[in-house]
C-alpha cells in the first residue's frame, strides 16, 4: 500500500529548508515590516527633487535599492512559508500583508521614473557623467530607454495600485492547483489503491503497467476538465491584464512588453518558433521510434514517459543523487563542487513532498543570503536532474551576488535557464560516458532524447500556445475553455505528428501549467537548453576558454544585456544557429538509435 502524504510537521527537519537564515524570529519579521513602513514614508521627501543635483539623486537611488533588498527578503520569506503548505491560512495572510505593503511602496515611489524622464537631457547627461552616480549609470540608461513607454505620475500611480489586482488570476490558479485540486486514486495491478498527487504523477507515468498509466492519466486530467471553465476564466483574466498593460504603455503587444523587460529582441522568439517548426519531422521520427520500441499498435500521450530501454528502473535515493551530482559536475571545478556541498549540507533545500506543498520546483535567492531550492524528490533520475537544475540557478545567484553590486546582481530569466540547464547537460554527458553496459548507455541516450522532447519541443509548443492566446485576446476573441482546448489539441497534433494518438484528456493540459501565468516565460527553457547543450559540451570536453567564459557569464548578473552576456560564452542567440546546432545533436542521437 502506497503511503499517504505526511503533514509537514511529521517530516524530518533535516530535509526541509531553514528559513531562519532569511528572517530568524517573529520579532525580526515585525521589525522588517516596521522598517519598510518607515522607508515608504521617506519617498515623499524626494518627490520633485530628483533633478536638483547628483547627490540628491544618489541618495534616492541608495534608498530605493535598500528598500528593494528588504522587500526581496520579506517576500521571499512569505512566499516560501506559503509554499511549504499552501493550506495554511496564516502563511496566506502573511503573503497578502507583504504584497499589500509592496503595493503601497510602488505607489509611493511611482513618481520617480516619470520625474527622471522629465529631467532635461543636458542635466541628465551631466548626472550620467558624474562620478558619484557611476554605480547607477547603466541602471539610469535602462530607465531612459523605456521613456516612450512611461506614463505620467498619476497614470503610473494607478498602474502601481493595479498591480495587486492584476496578480489575482495567478493567485487563484496557485491556490486551486496546490491547495484545492484533488485527484481520484487508482488501482494498481494487484488491486492496491494508489494515491495520485502532483508529486507522484511523473513517477506513475513511467510505470511499465500501461493500464496504470492510462488510469493515472485519466484521473489527473479529469480533475482539470471538471474545472476547465473556471481555469479558462482565470487564464483569460491574466492574459487580459497583460494586454491591457501593454496597450497602456504603448507597446504593440504583451509579448513585446514582456521581452523588452528582459532586453531580449522579439526576433529571438520568432526564430525559435520558426526553427523548431521547420524541424518537427525530427520529433515525428522520435515518436515513431518510441512507438516501434514499445511495440504498440497505437502510441498515446500516456506512453510518452515510460522508459524505452532496460536499466531504467534504477532508483537514486537522495544521498545517492547528491553524490552523483557532485561527481558529474566536477568539470565545473573544485570551487563549484564545494559550493554544491555547502548547499546540500546547510538546509538550502526543501526536499520531499508534504501535504499542501507547492508543486514543481524552483530556486529563490535574496542578495546577502544564500539561495533556497524547493522540490519534491522521488528517487527518480528526473529528481536528480531537477536537483542539479535548481542548484544551477542557485549557484548562478551565488556567483552573481558575490561579483556584482545590488543594482546589477539580479539576472534576467533568459540567462537564468542557461545556467540551470547546463548542469543537467553536463551531468547527462557524465552518466553516458560512465555507463557500465551498452544497455545502460542506450537507456541514458533515450532519456537525453526525452529531455530534448520535453524542453526544446514541448516548451516551444507551450510558447506557441501562449503567443496564440495573447493574439486572440488582442483581437477580441474570447478565451473560453472550448477555444483553449481546441487550440491546444491542434498544436499537439502538429508537434507530435501522425504516429501519435492525441487523447482528448491532453486538450486541457494548458489548465495545469503554472508558467503560463509568468507571461512569455516558457520560450526561454528552449533557447536556454540550446545554449546549454553548446556550452556544456565544450566544458565537458575540457575547453578551458569555454569554462573561463562561462564563469564570467555566471558573475555577470545584469551588468550587460542577456544576449551580450551569452557572447562571453561564444554564443549568438539572435539567429537560428544555436537552436539548429542543438537539434543537430538531437538528430545525431536519434540516428544512432534508429
Amino acid at each position: 500500500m502506497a503511503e499517504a502524504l505526511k503533514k509537514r510537521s511529521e517530516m524530518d527537519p533535516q530535509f526541509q529548508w531553514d528559513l531562519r537564515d532569511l528572517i530568524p524570529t517573529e520579532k525580526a519579521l515585525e521589525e522588517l515590516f516596521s522598517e519598510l513602513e518607515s522607508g515608504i514614508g521617506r519617498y515623499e521627501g524626494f518627490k520633485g527633487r530628483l533633478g536638483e543635483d547628483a547627490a540628491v539623486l544618489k541618495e534616492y537611488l541608495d534608498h530605493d535599492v535598500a528598500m528593494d533588498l528588504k522587500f526581496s527578503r520579506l517576500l521571499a520569506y512569505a512566499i516560501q512559508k506559503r509554499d511549504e503548505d499552501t493550506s495554511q491560512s496564516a502563511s496566506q495572510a502573511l503573503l497578502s500583508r507583504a504584497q499589500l505593503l509592496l503595493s503601497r511602496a510602488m505607489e509611493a515611489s511611482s513618481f520617480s521614473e516619470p520625474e527622471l524622464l522629465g529631467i532635461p537631457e543636458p542635466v541628465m547627461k551631466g548626472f550620467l557623467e558624474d562620478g558619484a552616480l557611476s554605480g547607477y549609470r547603466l541602471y539610469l540608461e535602462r530607465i531612459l530607454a523605456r521613456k516612450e513607454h512611461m506614463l505620467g505620475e498619476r497614470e503610473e500611480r494607478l498602474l502601481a495600485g493595479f498591480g495587486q489586482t492584476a496578480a489575482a488570476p495567478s493567485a487563484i490558479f496557485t491556490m486551486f492547483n496546490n491547495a484545492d485540486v484533488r485527484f481520484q486514486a487508482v488501482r494498481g495491478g494487484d488491486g492496491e489503491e494508489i494515491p495520485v498527487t502532483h508529486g507522484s504523477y511523473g513517477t506513475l507515468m513511467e510505470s511499465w503497467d500501461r493500464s496504470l498509466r492510462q488510469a493515472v492519466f485519466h484521473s489527473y486530467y479529469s480533475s482539470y476538465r471538471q474545472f476547465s471553465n473556471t481555469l479558462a476564466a482565470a487564464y483569460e483574466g491574466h492574459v487580459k491584464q497583460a494586454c491591457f498593460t501593454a496597450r497602456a504603455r504603448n507597446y504593440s503587444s504583451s509579448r513585446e512588453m514582456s521581452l523588452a523587460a528582459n532586453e531580449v529582441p522579439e526576433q529571438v522568439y520568432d526564430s525559435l518558433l520558426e526553427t523548431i517548426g521547420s524541424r518537427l519531422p525530427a520529433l515525428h521520427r522520435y515518436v515513431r521510434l518510441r512507438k516501434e520500441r514499445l511495440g504498440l499498435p497505437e502510441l498515446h500521450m500516456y506512453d510518452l514517459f515510460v522508459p524505452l530501454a532496460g536499466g531504467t528502473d534504477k532508483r537514486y535515493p537522495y544521498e545517492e543523487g547528491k553524490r552523483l551530482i557532485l561527481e558529474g559536475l566536477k568539470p565545473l571545478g573544485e570551487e563549484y563542487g564545494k559550493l554544491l556541498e555547502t548547499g546540500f549540507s546547510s538546509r538550502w533545500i526543501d526536499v520531499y513532498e508534504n501535504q499542501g506543498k507547492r508543486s514543481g520546483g524552483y530556486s529563490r535567492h535574496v542578495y546577502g543570503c544564500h539561495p533556497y531550492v524547493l522540490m519534491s524528490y522521488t528517487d527518480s533520475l528526473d529528481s536528480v536532474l531537477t536537483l542539479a537544475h535548481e542548484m544551477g540557478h542557485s549557484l548562478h545567484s551565488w556567483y552573481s551576488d558575490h561579483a556584482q553590486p545590488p543594482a546589477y546582481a539580479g539576472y534576467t530569466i533568459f540567462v537564468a535557464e542557461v545556467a540551470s540547464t547546463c548542469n543537467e547537460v553536463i551531468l547527462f554527458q557524465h552518466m553516458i560516458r560512465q555507463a557500465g553496459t551498452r544497455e545502460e548507455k542506450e537507456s541514458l541516450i533515450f532519456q537525453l532524447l526525452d529531455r530534448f522532447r520535453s524542453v526544446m519541443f514541448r516548451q516551444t509548443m507551450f510558447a506557441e500556445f501562449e503567443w496564440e492566446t495573447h493574439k486572440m485576446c488582442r483581437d477580441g476573441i474570447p478565451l473560453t475553455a472550448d477555444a483553449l482546448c481546441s487550440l491546444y489539441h491542434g498544436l499537439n497534433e502538429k508537434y507530435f505528428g501522425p504516429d501519435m494518438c492525441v487523447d482528448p484528456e491532453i486538450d486541457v493540459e494548458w489548465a495545469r501549467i503554472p508558467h503560463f501565468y509568468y507571461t512569455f516565460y516558457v520560450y526561454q527553457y528552449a533557447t536556454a537548453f540550446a545554449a546549454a547543450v553548446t556550452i556544456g559540451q565544450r566544458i565537458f570536453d575540457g575547453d578551458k576558454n569555454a569554462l573561463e567564459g562561462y564563469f564570467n557569464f555566471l558573475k555577470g548578473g545584469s551588468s550587460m544585456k542577456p544576449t551580450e552576456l551569452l557572447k562571453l560564452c561564444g554564443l549568438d542567440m539572435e539567429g537560428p544557429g544555436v537552436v539548429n546546432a542543438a537539434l543537430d545533436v538531437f538528430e545525431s542521437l536519434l540516428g544512432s538509435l534508429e
Side-chain angles (χ1 to χ4, degrees):
M1 178 75 69
E3 291 185 12
L5 283 179
K6 293 182 179 180
K7 296 178 181 179
R8 188 167 183 85
S9 60
E10 299 170 338
M11 306 288 284
D12 188 335
Q14 69 171 314
F15 299 115
Q16 297 175 341
W17 54 27
D18 187 352
L19 297 186
R20 291 175 298 182
D21 294 341
L22 268 177
I23 298 177
T25 63
E26 284 292 321
K27 180 181 178 182
L29 176 63
E30 292 305 319
E31 287 174 351
L32 183 55
F33 269 109
S34 296
E35 290 172 13
L36 286 166
E37 287 274 6
S38 177
I40 289 172
R42 282 196 63 197
Y43 279 113
E44 185 66 24
F46 290 103
K47 191 173 180 180
R49 300 180 55 216
L50 299 186
E52 282 185 10
D53 57 47
V56 172
L57 181 53
K58 182 179 186 301
E59 184 183 356
Y60 170 78
L61 293 173
D62 287 344
H63 172 66
D64 195 52
V65 168
M67 289 287 287
D68 184 62
L69 291 177
K70 290 176 182 179
F71 266 115
S72 294
R73 187 173 292 265
L74 174 62
L75 286 166
Y77 181 81
I79 289 170
Q80 289 174 232
K81 286 297 291 182
R82 178 202 62 185
D83 291 349
E84 291 177 351
D85 185 350
T86 57
S87 67
Q88 294 298 310
S89 59
S91 298
Q92 297 169 26
L94 173 62
L95 179 57
S96 179
R97 181 185 173 194
Q99 289 173 330
L100 181 61
L101 194 64
L102 176 63
S103 181
R104 286 178 50 203
M106 292 173 67
E107 288 187 51
S109 62
S110 61
F111 70 89
S112 62
E113 289 200 8
E115 193 169 313
L116 285 169
L117 294 172
I119 295 173
E121 187 173 341
V123 176
M124 179 57 76
K125 183 178 179 182
F127 286 173
L128 293 174
E129 293 173 353
D130 193 299
L133 287 167
S134 59
Y136 292 111
R137 182 182 178 92
L138 180 58
Y139 177 87
L140 290 169
E141 287 176 345
R142 283 173 169 155
I143 291 176
L144 295 174
R146 300 199 298 269
K147 187 170 184 176
E148 64 180 295
H149 303 293
M150 297 303 298
L151 308 176
E153 179 186 340
R154 181 175 181 274
E155 289 82 2
E156 287 294 333
R157 182 178 289 271
L158 286 170
L159 280 181
F162 174 64
Q164 191 172 17
T165 302
S170 177
I172 291 168
F173 169 80
T174 297
M175 294 307 300
F176 170 83
N177 204 44
N178 295 296
D180 294 337
V181 69
R182 295 290 183 271
F183 308 104
Q184 185 175 354
V186 298
R187 293 284 178 183
D190 56 1
E192 68 171 341
E193 187 175 271
I194 301 174
V196 178
T197 68
H198 286 303
S200 69
Y201 176 75
T203 300
L204 292 170
M205 292 303 290
E206 294 176 0
S207 170
W208 288 101
D209 184 343
R210 196 176 191 221
S211 296
L212 175 62
R213 297 199 307 270
Q214 184 177 7
V216 171
F217 183 76
H218 177 76
S219 168
Y220 200 66
Y221 285 106
S222 63
S223 293
Y224 288 100
R225 175 75 72 179
Q226 183 181 358
F227 297 98
S228 59
N229 291 316
T230 299
L231 293 169
Y235 180 62
E236 183 178 43
H238 169 77
V239 175
K240 280 183 173 179
Q241 68 83 14
C243 291
F244 165 79
T245 304
R247 287 195 303 271
R249 292 202 176 281
N250 301 311
Y251 286 98
S252 63
S253 68
S254 50
R255 189 184 74 168
E256 183 193 14
M257 179 180 68
S258 296
L259 269 63
N262 289 331
E263 299 181 291
V264 176
E266 284 192 277
Q267 177 58 28
V268 172
Y269 201 108
D270 289 331
S271 179
L272 172 67
L273 296 186
E274 292 165 7
T275 306
I276 292 289
S278 69
R279 300 190 64 172
L280 285 177
L283 180 59
H284 300 168
R285 283 171 54 197
Y286 164 84
V287 169
R288 191 179 312 117
L289 179 63
R290 172 171 278 275
K291 178 181 175 182
E292 292 170 356
R293 180 57 69 102
L294 291 174
L296 297 173
E298 290 185 344
L299 188 76
H300 287 259
M301 303 302 293
Y302 48 81
D303 298 318
L304 276 175
F305 307 97
V306 63
L308 285 180
T312 54
D313 290 332
K314 184 174 180 180
R315 310 310 291 168
Y316 300 86
Y318 185 56
E319 292 302 318
E320 171 65 14
K322 292 191 295 183
R323 186 203 63 76
L324 181 59
I325 290 170
L326 290 169
E327 182 67 27
L329 297 185
K330 279 185 176 179
L332 291 170
E334 184 178 351
E335 180 186 71
Y336 197 90
K338 288 182 178 179
L339 286 171
L340 284 171
E341 288 181 329
T342 298
F344 290 153
S345 63
S346 302
R347 295 182 62 186
W348 292 11
I349 305 163
D350 208 78
V351 181
Y352 297 114
E353 186 179 19
N354 56 253
Q355 289 183 23
K357 183 175 176 179
R358 180 193 186 277
S359 63
Y362 64 68
S363 170
R364 184 178 295 279
H365 82 287
V366 173
Y367 195 90
C369 183
H370 64 77
Y372 286 92
V373 167
L374 177 137
M375 66 178 303
S376 294
Y377 196 90
T378 61
D379 292 359
S380 65
L381 177 57
D382 188 64
S383 285
V384 177
L385 292 165
T386 297
L387 179 57
H389 179 102
E390 299 303 341
M391 288 302 287
H393 283 305
S394 293
L395 268 60
H396 188 181
S397 300
W398 191 94
Y399 277 105
S400 180
D401 283 1
H402 285 75
Q404 299 293 333
Y408 304 123
Y411 46 80
T412 68
I413 297 166
F414 186 83
V415 296
E417 293 303 329
V418 174
S420 54
T421 309
C422 190
N423 272 11
E424 288 189 69
V425 171
I426 293 174
L427 181 57
F428 247 124
Q429 290 167 327
H430 165 79
M431 294 181 69
I432 290 171
R433 179 174 290 184
Q434 297 297 316
T437 65
R438 174 186 173 129
E439 184 180 61
E440 183 181 357
K441 187 171 185 176
E442 185 181 66
S443 169
L444 290 166
I445 291 173
F446 267 121
Q447 289 179 77
L448 182 53
L449 287 174
D450 273 339
R451 301 304 279 189
F452 274 92
R453 173 192 60 78
S454 63
V455 181
M456 286 203 72
F457 290 105
R458 186 166 181 255
Q459 297 297 331
T460 302
M461 185 183 77
F462 285 175
E464 188 167 350
F465 171 82
E466 187 174 13
W467 182 215
E468 290 300 321
T469 57
H470 279 251
K471 287 191 291 185
M472 288 167 67
C473 180
R474 180 192 63 191
D475 296 338
I477 300 173
L479 299 182
T480 63
D482 287 345
L484 293 172
C485 287
S486 177
L487 171 62
Y488 201 79
H489 184 93
L491 286 172
N492 273 277
E493 289 183 330
K494 169 185 171 180
Y495 274 74
F496 288 102
D499 285 291
M500 173 64 75
C501 291
V502 179
D503 302 280
E505 287 92 344
I506 205 66
D507 296 0
V508 77
E509 185 182 34
W510 57 267
R512 76 170 183 91
I513 308 299
H515 292 80
F516 286 153
Y517 292 86
Y518 311 157
T519 312
F520 294 104
Y521 182 107
V522 292
Y523 82 97
Q524 296 163 117
Y525 284 116
T527 54
F529 190 89
V533 167
T534 304
I535 296 169
Q537 185 65 57
R538 292 174 183 173
I539 292 174
F540 190 74
D541 289 341
D543 186 331
K544 293 183 179 179
N545 290 330
L547 185 61
E548 181 181 358
Y550 183 60
F551 275 93
N552 288 335
F553 160 79
L554 292 180
K555 296 172 183 177
S558 59
S559 62
M560 302 168 67
K561 291 181 179 181
T563 50
E564 295 299 316
L565 282 168
L566 284 169
K567 287 180 180 178
L568 297 173
C569 302
L571 304 183
D572 180 4
M573 300 303 298
E574 297 185 45
V578 176
V579 174
N580 268 322
L583 292 175
D584 287 343
V585 174
F586 176 80
E587 293 211 53
S588 175
L589 291 167
L590 183 63
S592 69
L593 291 175
E594 287 173 330

